[in-house]
Amino acid sequence: MDPIVVVDVMGGDFAPSVVIDGIMSAVQADQFLHIIAVGLPDAISSLEGVERVTCVGASQVIAMDEHPAHAIRSKKDSSIVVGCKLVKSGDAQGFFSAGSTGAVMAAATLGIGRLKKVSRPVLATVLPAIDTPVILGDIGANADCKPDYLVQFALMMQAYATTVLEVKKPRVRLLNIGEEETKGSQFAQECFALLKESVPHFEGNIEGKEILTSMTDIIVTDGFTGNITLKTLEGTSRIVLDQVKAALTANLFSKLYAAPLAGQVRKLKEEMDPDQFGGAPLLGTKGVVVIGHGSSSALAISNGIQVTATAIRNELTNKVASALSED
């Protein structure tokens, strides 16, 4: 399949320039990829005539600080809403945006629609763990959850792990305050029981200190806990890397001893860089949707587009639907 990905050119803190650079990089990296670039006419004009890129104008832009539901209702010709409509109509199979996460989720859920049996789509992310990446979800789409939602989240993330990360039998754990089955709140204990009963390769609870140890492939939780966890990890990793850099460049003596370590420090920074994974998939919609970080670089945009294309090629939407039908 030659994937067709809609890209929101107006999405992100540094749009449209980095998005355009990311589009150019993505089409160069994948000779079979087709992109529909959606944005203000002036913003997308430089993409006119680029091979395998089609431009579609939108007269409005949804800002990061706008209320998501109100924005998609009042700005029906925004790049996000128009992009989702193109997936809904069948003109494309996937949508990528580094714009407002809330607006993309709302537009995708309402505009593209949910798969049958999906109570709530799950927003997941790939974390750079010690040996192999770990998928964490939900990370903010659903602050208030029921235990059966987490079962669906786990099954949908397993489909993503198999389809995009090529994990044959993805292991699942529940984020909790202890490893024992009886640990945690009443909600956590009910989730444990349902996950144990309904999800293949469920291996119990996992504590926060073990998130990046690669002892599992998928960590499932509610969106409130997941969002706090993700942002704590992001902030901690940034501070640690900044402190390491400061220590290695504090004076001439430390700089001399730091020189041989420069390559390893650079490699560590690259491995911890979320740009390598491109974005967070919104699983459970009738089309592939990937949401990039607001501060995405051109590399992150390119990688996000390519992840979307990979998911399309491997029929992620059908596999998510199949995983839920077997439940």
Side-chain angles (χ1 to χ4, degrees):
M1 176 189 294
D2 290 354
I4 303 174
V5 178
V6 180
V7 179
D8 171 20
V9 177
M10 311 312 299
D13 298 339
F14 308 111
S17 60
V18 296
V19 182
I20 291 171
D21 290 343
I23 288 173
M24 296 299 292
S25 176
V27 294
Q28 289 171 8
D30 186 342
Q31 62 178 325
F32 300 106
L33 171 65
H34 295 261
I35 288 176
I36 300 177
V38 180
L40 299 178
D42 289 346
I44 60 177
S45 60
S46 63
L47 292 169
E48 293 285 355
V50 175
E51 187 177 3
R52 290 180 284 113
V53 176
T54 301
C55 294
V56 173
S59 62
Q60 298 170 307
V61 177
I62 296 176
M64 291 289 195
D65 59 353
E66 290 188 69
H67 187 280
H70 175 74
I72 65 168
R73 286 196 299 266
S74 61
K75 294 186 173 181
K76 295 184 178 180
D77 198 45
S78 64
S79 54
I80 290 175
V81 174
V82 171
C84 288
K85 285 181 178 178
L86 288 167
V87 178
K88 173 71 172 179
S89 66
D91 292 296
Q93 301 93 33
F95 177 64
F96 173 82
S97 174
S100 166
T101 299
V104 174
M105 290 191 299
T109 303
L110 298 174
I112 299 174
R114 290 179 294 179
L115 289 168
K116 187 178 180 181
K117 288 193 174 185
V118 172
S119 299
R120 297 286 189 279
V122 58
L123 186 62
T125 191
V126 182
L127 301 175
I130 292 176
D131 296 316
T132 57
V134 172
I135 303 173
L136 172 68
D138 186 21
I139 58 167
N142 307 279
D144 298 305
C145 291
K146 298 178 181 179
D148 58 300
Y149 293 178
L150 268 68
V151 171
Q152 291 191 355
F153 295 170
L155 293 171
M156 290 190 285
M157 288 192 285
Q158 281 186 321
Y160 183 79
T162 303
T163 302
V164 177
L165 300 183
E166 300 181 343
V167 181
K168 291 184 178 180
K169 296 179 179 180
R171 302 161 293 165
V172 176
R173 286 185 182 267
L174 172 68
L175 187 59
N176 207 337
I177 60 173
E179 294 183 2
E180 297 84 0
E181 186 171 346
T182 55
K183 287 287 188 178
S185 63
Q186 183 66 34
F187 172 74
Q189 292 178 41
E190 291 177 8
C191 288
F192 187 104
L194 278 179
L195 289 163
K196 183 178 180 180
E197 176 186 344
S198 307
V199 176
H201 314 300
F202 175 66
E203 298 185 346
N205 291 325
I206 188 170
E207 296 183 67
K209 64 183 180 181
E210 297 167 328
I211 289 174
L212 302 181
T213 61
S214 296
M215 67 180 291
T216 189
D217 302 300
I218 293 166
I219 298 173
V220 64
T221 187
D222 62 276
F224 182 83
T225 305
N227 189 269
I228 291 174
T229 300
L230 175 63
K231 291 186 177 169
T232 300
L233 289 170
E234 289 177 341
T236 302
S237 64
R238 185 166 55 249
I239 290 171
V240 169
L241 287 172
D242 287 346
Q243 290 297 312
V244 169
K245 182 179 179 180
L248 294 176
T249 58
N251 52 56
L252 180 59
F253 184 76
S254 61
K255 288 179 181 178
L256 290 173
Y257 277 88
L261 299 174
Q264 291 299 317
V265 173
R266 191 179 304 110
K267 180 181 178 183
L268 175 63
K269 185 176 181 181
E270 290 174 354
E271 290 175 348
M272 298 296 291
D273 188 355
D275 284 4
Q276 299 297 323
F277 299 102
L282 181 66
L283 305 171
T285 56
K286 296 178 179 178
V288 177
V289 177
V290 177
I291 306 174
H293 200 285
S295 61
S296 290
S297 65
L299 172 63
I301 298 293
S302 177
N303 287 340
I305 294 169
Q306 292 179 67
V307 165
T308 308
T310 297
I312 292 168
R313 282 193 174 100
N314 293 331
E315 300 184 346
L316 173 63
T317 302
N318 289 338
K319 290 177 181 176
V320 167
S322 177
L324 294 174
S325 67
E326 294 171 4
D327 178 32

